[in-house]
């Protein structure tokens, strides 16, 4: 789904306890995840806090609590995330120059 306004993004993501922001490196995942955590009122977790370790991310996903995880280095593992109605994945993309 594509969301075009900040209100649409916040309204949609406020339904989730866990939000993972991923995508290619240098696409804006850090600033996006920081802004989302502030707007959603939950903890921001940087990928370095979990040492880019998939086991740490798995533990986070099983934990209680709300967070936004910034994790572009783990983008190749996003398909391993089990379906969870409380978890959303935000995929950032860098616009291609015309």
């Amino acid at each position: 789904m594509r969301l075009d306004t900040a209100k649409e993004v916040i309204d949609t993501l406020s339904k989730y306890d866990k939000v993972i922001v991923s995508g290619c490196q240098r696409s804006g995942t850090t600033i996006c995840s920081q802004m989302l955590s502030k707007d959603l009122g939950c903890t921001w977790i940087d990928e370095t806090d979990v040492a880019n370790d998939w086991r740490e991310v798995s533990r986070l996903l099983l934990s209680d609590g709300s967070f936004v995880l910034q994790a572009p280095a783990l983008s190749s593992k996003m398909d391993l995330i089990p379906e969870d109605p409380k978890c959303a994945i935000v995929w950032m993309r860098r616009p291609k120059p015309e």
Side-chain angles (χ1 to χ4, degrees):
M1 123 181 31
R2 180 183 167 139
L3 305 172
D4 292 317
T5 68
K7 183 178 180 347
E8 289 175 330
V9 171
I10 298 306
D11 288 349
T12 300
L13 293 179
S14 65
K15 301 170 188 163
Y16 298 93
D17 293 335
K18 298 165 176 65
V19 177
I20 300 171
V21 180
S22 194
C24 65
Q25 302 284 336
R26 312 298 306 158
S27 63
T29 58
T30 301
I31 190 69
C32 177
S33 60
Q34 289 173 339
M35 291 178 359
L36 285 174
S37 71
K38 183 174 181 178
D39 289 343
L40 296 171
C42 58
T43 303
W44 177 70
I45 303 172
D46 184 69
E47 64 187 347
T48 59
D49 296 336
V50 293
N52 291 324
D53 183 345
W54 183 247
R55 291 169 297 186
E56 289 297 319
V57 173
S58 296
R59 273 181 243 172
L60 270 176
L61 293 171
L62 294 173
S63 70
D64 291 330
S66 299
F67 64 82
V68 175
L69 170 64
Q70 180 262 348
L74 295 170
S75 62
S76 65
K77 306 273 189 193
M78 291 298 118
D79 62 320
L80 299 176
I81 295 174
E83 283 194 39
D84 181 348
K86 296 180 183 179
C87 182
I89 297 172
V90 174
W91 190 264
M92 300 291 295
R93 69 175 190 88
R94 189 176 354 185
K96 182 175 138 184
E98 298 286 324

